[in-house]
Amino acid sequence: MSNIREVSRVAGVSIATVSRALSNPEKVSEAALKKVNDAIKKVGYRPNMMARNFRAVRAYSIVVLVPNLSNLFFATVIRGIEDAAQQKGYSVLLGDTRDSSAREEEYIRLVETRQADGILQLRPHTPGKSLEPKVAIPMVSACGCENTPYPSVRIDNAGAAREIVDYLIGQGHRRIGVLSGLVDNPHAIDRLRGYREALAAAGIPLDPDLQVNGDFTLGSGLMAASHFARMKDRPTAIFSMNDEMAIGCLQGLKSAGIKVPQEMSVTGFDDIEFARYSDPPLTTVAQPAEELGRVGFQTLLELIEGKDLGNAETVLPYEFVVRKSTPTLKR
């Protein structure tokens, strides 16, 4: 079996450096930390977790609270979390809350009773609805929004939405439908703000009939397509607040005999894997899902190790990806 000496030899660093990298990674240079992590993977070293737990009084596990495990975007975030956690010898417990406060409270209790060391929350914080732990525990939002009361990692949702709508306006669209998420979801609220700001900046009046509220599922995308298809004055483009709804909308428009993109352009948000394989491939905003997970775990680990981060925000860059669901209009 591999041991710390073998890791030291393969990494080309001292045993003391390997030990620090495992217990206090913030005290090791990035270059040395990479050497140690690469060596750990190569030799298949696994720290003695029972001994570490006894010394440090830690569970060396975290809880990831997921509002909907079937959501493909969350699956990619979780992959990033698990990759980062395994490198540090942490296990990951998935808590499928199903948007239930009672289920969320059960998982939070695992940390309050020291059966886990911290919480990574994938549901954005909603004032008045999100639970507050009974005692102070390490908690980070890995899919955060603005003004989260604990540390968060996020993208600029409003800015990304503005960029999508600005792009559609630049193509010549003036009637742009919006397929929103849940009305009280902070991500949906921020993206709707970006949509409205882009219209206002272009001098395009807001038409309430062009907004359909969905729930981030394929089914709500299908229903929205039916609404838009029945309108006398149809939109020429649709901004969907996630890819799953956009893909459902593509199917619904196709069933209604509306050609995409010839008669109606469609854009999404997230860049899940299926977005590039939809028919047609979907123009969308690519969130750095795995990086959200990795940085979220790294931030949580800092809290677990005693660092005071307040409600610090880490805003990661996104990418606007243009595919065949949005051709340039001929004027």
Side-chain angles (χ1 to χ4, degrees):
M1 293 179 63
S2 60
N3 55 36
I4 197 169
R5 290 182 182 276
E6 182 69 4
V7 174
S8 170
R9 183 187 66 78
V10 173
V13 299
S14 68
I15 292 175
T17 298
V18 175
S19 180
R20 279 196 299 273
L22 291 171
S23 58
N24 299 104
E26 73 280 359
K27 296 182 180 179
V28 180
S29 70
E30 289 187 11
L33 191 59
K34 185 178 187 306
K35 289 180 181 179
V36 171
N37 286 331
D38 289 346
I40 286 172
K41 287 182 179 179
K42 185 172 183 179
V43 305
Y45 173 66
R46 294 185 180 277
N48 185 330
M49 300 311 299
M50 288 187 66
R52 287 176 65 187
N53 287 346
F54 182 77
R55 290 195 302 269
V57 197
R58 282 192 202 169
Y60 283 91
S61 65
I62 63 165
V63 179
V64 179
L65 297 182
V66 191
N68 182 359
L69 269 176
S70 67
N71 186 298
L72 297 175
F73 173 73
F74 290 141
T76 309
V77 177
I78 291 166
R79 185 164 62 214
I81 293 169
E82 290 196 320
D83 285 348
Q86 286 182 2
Q87 288 183 18
K88 299 299 182 184
Y90 276 74
S91 59
V92 175
L93 172 64
L94 294 181
D96 182 9
T97 66
R98 305 175 196 174
D99 274 325
S100 164
S101 297
R103 291 176 67 90
E104 188 170 307
E105 192 168 9
E106 288 178 13
Y107 287 111
I108 288 175
R109 196 174 298 120
L110 292 178
V111 182
E112 293 175 338
T113 58
R114 305 303 298 271
Q115 297 176 70
D117 298 320
I119 295 282
L120 265 179
Q121 175 67 271
L122 300 194
R123 177 174 58 80
H125 179 80
T126 305
K129 288 194 173 183
S130 293
L131 288 177
E132 298 295 337
K134 296 180 176 64
V135 297
I137 64 173
M139 180 181 286
V140 171
S141 174
C143 297
C145 56
E146 298 178 26
N147 303 316
T148 300
Y150 42 86
S152 64
V153 185
R154 65 178 180 87
I155 69 163
D156 180 0
N157 282 281
R162 279 196 304 272
E163 186 167 343
I164 291 174
V165 180
D166 282 342
Y167 170 78
L168 293 172
I169 292 169
Q171 288 187 315
H173 294 285
R174 291 297 178 270
R175 285 189 61 74
I176 302 172
V178 58
L179 176 45
S180 179
L182 298 163
V183 293
D184 62 348
N185 181 282
H187 289 159
I189 292 169
D190 288 345
R191 293 169 194 176
L192 186 61
R193 173 160 54 88
Y195 164 83
R196 290 174 172 172
E197 288 173 352
L199 293 183
I204 300 174
L206 185 67
D207 184 349
D209 290 338
L210 290 176
Q211 179 178 336
V212 175
N213 295 322
D215 60 4
F216 295 118
T217 65
L218 288 164
S220 63
L222 278 167
M223 288 188 290
S226 177
H227 169 83
F228 289 128
R230 290 196 306 267
M231 292 181 70
K232 290 184 179 179
D233 189 8
R234 294 173 179 165
T236 59
I238 297 171
F239 161 44
S240 171
M241 291 193 183
N242 82 338
D243 289 343
E244 288 196 40
M245 291 193 297
I247 292 170
C249 188
L250 286 175
Q251 183 60 45
L253 293 175
K254 188 175 182 179
S255 298
I258 297 173
K259 295 179 181 179
V260 177
Q262 294 89 340
E263 297 176 74
M264 196 177 295
S265 292
V266 176
T267 66
F269 203 108
D270 289 339
D271 197 28
I272 62 175
E273 187 174 0
F274 291 149
R276 69 195 68 181
Y277 303 116
S278 62
D279 183 23
L282 189 63
T283 292
T284 188
V285 164
Q287 290 207 66
E290 287 194 41
E291 188 68 7
L292 286 168
R294 283 193 292 268
V295 176
F297 172 78
Q298 291 161 4
T299 305
L300 180 61
L301 189 57
E302 290 185 56
L303 289 180
I304 291 170
E305 293 174 345
K307 190 170 182 179
D308 183 6
L309 299 178
N311 64 338
E313 290 184 332
T314 301
V315 182
L316 299 180
Y318 60 85
E319 181 183 2
F320 184 45
V321 181
V322 178
R323 297 195 180 101
K324 293 184 179 180
S325 65
T326 55
T328 302
L329 289 182
K330 295 179 181 179
R331 302 187 189 182

